[in-house]
Amino acid sequence: MTAMTALNESVLDVTRVRRDFPILERQVHGNPLIYLDNAATSQTPRQVIETLDHYYRHYNANIHRGLHTLADEATAAFEQTRDSVRDFIGAADRREIVFTSGTTEAINLVANSWGWANLKPGDEILISQLEHHSNIVPWQLLAEQLELVIRVIPVDEQGALDMTAYRELFTERTRLVAVNHISNAFGTINPVREMAAIAHRHGALIMVDGAQAAPHEPVDVQHIDADFYAFSAHKVYGPTGVGVLYGKAALLEAMPPWQGGGEMIRTVSFDAGTTYAAIPHKFEAGTPPIAEVVGLGRALSWVNDIGISLIGAWEQQLLMHATKRMTSIDGLRILGTAPHKAGVISFVVDGAHAQDIGLLIDQLGVAVRTGNHCAQPLLQHFGVEATCRASFAAYNTFEEIEAFVAALERVIRMVR
């Protein structure tokens, strides 16, 4: 056993974790797969895959409206996931959990429901420079339609938010802060609890994009005092196509529906009009991604079995080791060096385009992300159009980092 493996297993039984992921057994271009694109999508454990298979084999049916056995079983499994999500993020009430297609739809729901009902021309929204496009564009669209003002929270040279500037941006017209919990591009961990407290002192609400936080650290929406919080299943070892919007019950109850259709109604009449279901169903129009929601529930139980704190601690060790190894590579520059970071490393290489690095390193079996990471304003601020990004999950190892660094060094020699 190597020293690195000993360190590995003192924090997390990575060998056990890796056994749960069948995709890690495959090869890419004749090399063992080293998957370092987890900030985009994490891989899925066999327990979740088996749950999806079991659903379709044994109780595939529409939910809430049927009286037969399959419908009862599907409804029970679907609603059990709502309880699991409530517990996973520390919500006070299961009614505060709305299922969406992902973080993007969750943010758009808030913009199109709460935003249209509560904002008027001249009102201001604060958005950080670190945001994913999904937490920028919906607010830009709303601003164009309602004549709102968007003000940007700047970052410092390390990619951390300038909290002094944040405090100074508030005016009597500030109505909402939209900020990510963890940056998908740089891994910066934002002080969202402090930001929420400041926003609330000014009478503003806070919408937290938690897509990158939920897989990596414990989330307690009551402790944060978030008004809205969103995350996606496919980044937390679950299926694609499903996500969660948390909203404080009083806010959700006051918000109008965003989409109309089946399930979100109480009564429909041509003469008397339509009345709407209670929360959260008011925001869940039509047939939801039932199997995927059930799969999300199994993914969260898998994370709980491993321990989210153990996962986060292990990823921090991977981050520190990878950062140390990569900073020794001549001509490589890491963007985003905030003191509080999750397991994400964005980097550029002198004289090489990120796309070339990504394509060539894939030939050696290493999967990293290249491009602007849906964070164009952030990269433009740092004077680059694209970076390579390596991001870690519970199943990554020190040995994989060593292989990644060796592959990176080989590719850099090729492109120079």
Side-chain angles (χ1 to χ4, degrees):
M1 178 181 293
T2 66
M4 286 187 295
T5 302
L7 176 61
N8 168 332
E9 295 188 352
S10 70
V11 176
L12 189 71
D13 186 350
V14 180
T15 302
R16 172 203 163 192
V17 169
R18 289 179 66 84
R19 281 199 295 265
D20 287 342
F21 292 85
I23 200 169
L24 299 181
E25 298 174 5
R26 73 163 292 181
Q27 293 197 335
V28 173
H29 302 297
N31 297 285
L33 170 64
I34 298 174
Y35 186 80
L36 301 177
D37 192 21
N38 297 287
T41 295
S42 61
Q43 293 301 331
T44 310
R46 58 177 173 78
Q47 293 90 338
V48 175
I49 297 169
E50 290 166 358
T51 295
L52 295 171
D53 180 77
H54 183 77
Y55 168 84
Y56 283 114
R57 288 180 185 272
H58 295 283
Y59 60 100
N60 177 25
N62 218 317
I63 58 172
H64 295 136
R65 286 159 277 181
L67 297 178
H68 55 81
T69 297
L70 270 62
D72 284 345
E73 291 175 354
T75 299
F78 184 93
E79 290 300 331
Q80 178 58 51
T81 297
R82 203 183 305 274
D83 292 330
S84 298
V85 173
R86 174 200 60 201
D87 296 341
F88 191 75
I89 63 171
D93 190 329
R94 70 188 312 275
R95 299 178 305 137
E96 297 176 321
I97 306 302
V98 178
F99 291 119
T100 66
S101 66
T103 303
T104 298
E105 186 182 49
I107 295 170
N108 276 274
L109 190 162
V110 175
N112 285 279
S113 176
W114 178 87
W116 273 95
N118 291 278
L119 300 178
K120 55 185 181 296
D123 285 346
E124 298 175 355
I125 299 173
L126 305 188
I127 300 175
S128 93
Q129 213 160 23
L130 288 170
E131 299 312 303
H132 188 283
H133 297 165
S134 294
N135 206 22
I136 298 175
V137 179
W139 307 114
Q140 288 180 325
L141 291 171
L142 192 67
E144 292 172 1
Q145 294 160 344
L146 295 182
E147 299 180 4
L148 310 175
V149 176
I150 291 178
R151 296 163 68 85
V152 180
I153 311 163
V155 297
D156 63 20
E157 68 280 0
Q158 293 181 302
L161 288 185
D162 184 336
M163 291 298 289
T164 298
Y166 172 64
R167 293 181 180 89
E168 294 173 349
L169 282 171
F170 283 89
T171 74
E172 69 279 359
R173 299 303 302 271
T174 306
R175 299 291 179 261
L176 180 76
V177 174
V179 65
N180 54 37
H181 195 160
I182 295 177
S183 164
N184 74 299
F186 284 3
T188 305
I189 302 174
N190 290 320
V192 289
R193 186 184 184 208
E194 180 184 359
M195 297 180 78
I198 295 168
H200 292 155
R201 285 199 294 270
H202 288 273
L205 303 186
I206 186 166
M207 164 85 239
V208 182
D209 171 358
Q212 297 296 330
H216 305 297
E217 65 175 51
V219 172
D220 186 329
V221 292
Q222 291 188 80
H223 179 72
I224 295 169
D225 200 13
D227 298 294
F228 302 103
Y229 195 99
F231 71 95
S232 298
H234 71 98
K235 298 183 190 294
V236 63
Y237 308 101
T240 57
V242 63
V244 169
L245 171 67
Y246 159 83
K248 290 180 177 177
L251 292 171
L252 293 179
E253 287 173 340
M255 288 161 52
W258 175 36
Q259 296 175 320
E263 186 56 32
M264 51 74 66
I265 56 88
R266 181 175 286 114
T267 63
V268 176
S269 168
F270 287 122
D271 299 321
T274 296
T275 61
Y276 303 114
I279 61 171
H281 303 294
K282 177 171 65 172
F283 299 107
E284 295 178 352
T287 298
I290 303 167
E292 289 76 10
V293 168
V294 175
L296 168 59
R298 186 64 185 91
L300 297 183
S301 68
W302 183 88
V303 171
N304 288 333
D305 288 344
I306 301 300
I308 187 66
S309 294
L310 277 180
I311 291 172
W314 173 236
E315 291 170 349
Q316 282 296 309
Q317 293 200 29
L318 294 173
L319 173 65
M320 288 187 292
H321 183 68
T323 301
K324 180 179 179 181
R325 294 287 285 113
M326 292 171 68
T327 52
S328 68
I329 298 175
D330 183 47
L332 184 148
R333 178 166 60 100
I334 293 174
L335 279 72
T337 56
H340 301 291
K341 276 190 60 170
V344 174
I345 301 178
S346 272
F347 63 95
V348 293
V349 176
D350 292 344
H353 194 281
Q355 184 174 353
D356 293 335
I357 296 290
L359 288 171
L360 289 170
I361 207 169
D362 175 68
Q363 297 297 310
L364 301 174
V366 180
V368 298
R369 177 68 46 156
T370 63
N372 59 52
H373 317 298
C374 293
Q376 288 184 2
L378 178 64
L379 296 196
Q380 289 167 359
H381 175 75
F382 281 86
V384 298
E385 294 182 356
T387 72
C388 294
R389 183 187 68 190
S391 50
F392 310 118
Y395 41 70
N396 292 127
T397 67
F398 277 72
E399 288 78 10
E400 286 185 319
I401 290 173
E402 290 299 312
F404 160 58
V405 171
L408 189 56
E409 291 174 328
R410 179 178 172 184
V411 165
I412 290 173
R413 288 195 298 269
M414 292 171 60
V415 298
R416 283 181 172 172

